[in-house]
Amino acid sequence: MDFLQTAKQMALEAGAMMKQSTGKGFAVQEKGTVYDVVTEVDQGVERLIRQMINETYPHHRILGEEQMFEQELSLQQLLETEIADDYLWIVDPIDGTVNFVNRIPGYTVSIALAYQGELLVGVIYDPMRDEMFWAEKGKGAFLNGVPIRCSSTQTLAESVVATGFPADLHGARRAVVDSLGQVALTCRSVRVLGSAALHLAYVASGRLCAFWEYGMHTWDVAAGVLIVCEAGGTVSDIEGEVYSLTTENVLCSNRHIHSLMLSLLK
């Protein structure tokens, strides 16, 4: 099984686990603050994906969101030890956990594979809509097997964009709120769907024109970054610098409005 097929199979099995758990009772914990939560389903999905990777590619490393929470490691510590490895799987078992807990559609599993820091494969699966977005480096982006492209919208007045509200209340969330007014007064509308991965997938498929957020983690956006780029979009940090796996403040767009969005965010 090749890398992409492995990622897609893992996403399907993870999605099935999420669907089976939707609406049922499960334990919910706070991850440091009331604004950031994890469920036993998140942890179960990550264990499932880790097991599948270890069985198929035993020499590959894995960077997962719940690993950081369970081991009480900082993201910087994880990146320092794992990002330079040859093959690194980057996993967000449930992106949009607050949606999942509250039975709101709009949560995904996000899986990426990088080689020495370069993204090779990205898969985002929305189990409630049965929509799987994926890309391989240099081979384009797809939704359920159909090629996708970013929108061709070239003005902010015609653009529907998205952001999110990070758990870091006084840092990243404050930065989002501070930037929101200028963007909301310029673009056609702003959406907050509750999943960074879903926002990126929607930019890639032309449903949104841009997405920005501060304080992102690698697993939030890695898969989506590749999908957006392969769909003809652009990804950078908020200052316009080239995206890397350590980038925390992210802007992605359909390419046509990227400079315009940067001017608003700066």
Side-chain angles (χ1 to χ4, degrees):
M1 185 179 290
D2 64 21
F3 296 146
L4 176 60
Q5 289 304 116
T6 299
K8 289 164 69 175
Q9 185 61 39
M10 290 190 295
L12 285 173
E13 295 196 23
M17 181 180 290
M18 282 188 269
K19 289 178 71 173
Q20 291 168 2
S21 304
T22 300
K24 298 181 180 179
F26 45 75
V28 180
Q29 293 177 265
E30 294 178 6
K31 296 198 294 186
T33 75
V34 70
Y35 305 102
D36 195 10
V37 296
V38 60
T39 73
E40 60 184 323
V41 183
D42 295 74
Q43 295 163 336
V45 169
E46 185 165 314
R47 284 194 297 270
L48 170 70
I49 294 173
R50 284 180 174 277
Q51 180 180 350
M52 295 180 70
I53 294 172
N54 288 331
E55 290 175 353
T56 310
Y57 305 110
H59 302 298
H60 289 191
R61 299 295 295 273
I62 306 167
L63 178 66
E65 178 176 9
E66 304 319 325
Q67 173 191 16
M68 186 178 80
F69 172 63
E70 291 174 1
Q71 298 181 7
E72 299 183 346
L73 297 174
S74 71
L75 178 57
Q76 191 60 41
Q77 287 174 310
L78 287 175
L79 291 176
E80 286 174 356
T81 59
E82 298 190 359
I83 203 170
D85 281 356
D86 283 350
Y87 286 102
L88 177 65
W89 292 89
I90 304 165
V91 178
D92 194 343
I94 304 182
D95 188 61
T97 298
V98 173
N99 284 349
F100 179 69
V101 169
N102 289 279
R103 301 187 301 281
I104 300 172
Y107 46 87
T108 65
V109 54
S110 178
I111 302 171
L113 175 65
Y115 178 75
Q116 295 183 348
E118 181 178 24
L119 291 166
L120 302 181
V121 168
V123 173
I124 296 169
Y125 181 50
D126 177 352
M128 301 311 293
R129 291 177 58 88
D130 194 26
E131 290 190 330
M132 183 177 290
F133 304 82
W134 75 78
E136 279 188 284
K137 184 174 175 58
K139 297 185 179 181
F142 299 85
L143 166 55
N144 290 350
V146 178
I148 54 175
R149 297 291 292 177
C150 293
S151 77
S152 58
T153 303
Q154 300 195 24
T155 68
L156 292 176
E158 298 174 290
S159 297
V160 179
V161 304
T163 189
F165 293 109
D168 177 9
L169 187 62
H170 300 293
R173 187 178 294 196
R174 172 58 61 185
V176 168
V177 171
D178 288 345
S179 64
L180 186 58
Q182 187 70 15
V183 175
L185 291 173
T186 307
C187 295
R188 174 169 287 172
S189 190
V190 179
R191 295 289 181 264
V192 180
L193 304 179
S195 165
L198 198 62
H199 287 140
L200 286 155
Y202 281 12
V203 171
S205 57
R207 297 173 182 176
L208 294 169
C209 300
F211 162 68
W212 88 99
E213 191 169 339
Y214 298 84
M216 292 283 88
H217 295 132
T218 308
W219 46 75
D220 296 321
V221 298
V225 164
L226 181 62
I227 297 170
V228 167
C229 291
E230 288 294 321
T234 298
V235 183
S236 72
D237 72 6
I238 299 298
E239 300 298 321
E241 297 297 322
V242 175
Y243 172 84
S244 74
L245 293 182
T246 58
T247 298
E248 295 181 349
N249 305 324
V250 176
L251 169 66
C252 75
S253 77
N254 66 358
R255 177 171 57 86
H256 304 292
I257 65 167
H258 204 82
S259 61
L260 298 173
M261 285 293 296
L262 284 173
S263 66
L264 291 180
L265 298 174
K266 288 180 179 178

